[in-house]
Amino acid sequence: MTAAANKQLMQDLLGRAAAGDRAPYLAAIAEDVTMTVTGQYSWSQTFRGKEALLRDLYGHLATLLAEGRRTIPLRFIADDDLVVVEGKGDMRTKTGVQYDNDYCLIYRLREGRIVEIREYCDSVLTERVLGPFPASRTQPN
């Protein structure tokens, strides 16, 4: 796929997810995906495989965040198989604390599937609002 096609795909997937329909985004994640949460804090690690990503990262977030959580995509930049997305969280914890992190997400695509995600965000905000990432969900190196 071209850079323009990859950009359009991510605009469509993330636009639908922000509107409440996450199914197409989740379906576009490749089985062999890797997602790296960057930095040097408890959430920083690489999730290998769709099952681990859905269970350990997205599953943990589902225990913390109220329904209706979303990341609003603000800007898309594409180059070859990479699409960079600047986004703003619009989330609230189940205890009522607002959690509106700023994100830079880099997606690598292969044949219309998401095969790699790198997330950059405000790590201090993440740990202050969501707490440390549980060791029981931490991926082995």
Side-chain angles (χ1 to χ4, degrees), residues 73-92:
L74 303 173
R75 183 175 297 134
F76 295 82
I77 302 167
D79 184 34
D80 294 326
D81 62 348
L82 298 174
V83 179
V84 179
V85 180
E86 178 185 4
K88 179 72 173 175
D90 178 21
M91 304 175 209
R92 183 174 299 277

Side-chain angles (χ1 to χ4, degrees), residues 14-15 17-19 68-74 85-91 101 103 105:
L14 295 176
R69 65 187 180 275
R70 65 189 182 139
T71 299
I72 302 164
L74 303 173
V85 180
E86 178 185 4
K88 179 72 173 175
D90 178 21
M91 304 175 209
N101 212 326
Y103 297 98
L105 299 156

Side-chain angles (χ1 to χ4, degrees), residues 85-125:
V85 180
E86 178 185 4
K88 179 72 173 175
D90 178 21
M91 304 175 209
R92 183 174 299 277
T93 67
K94 290 182 176 180
T95 61
V97 177
Q98 198 63 32
Y99 176 64
D100 296 341
N101 212 326
D102 294 301
Y103 297 98
C104 179
L105 299 156
I106 302 173
Y107 292 91
R108 188 166 59 86
L109 298 145
R110 181 180 62 229
E111 298 173 4
R113 307 280 295 190
I114 299 166
V115 296
E116 182 182 357
I117 308 165
R118 291 186 61 81
E119 176 186 294
Y120 299 83
C121 69
D122 182 343
S123 58
V124 173
L125 177 65

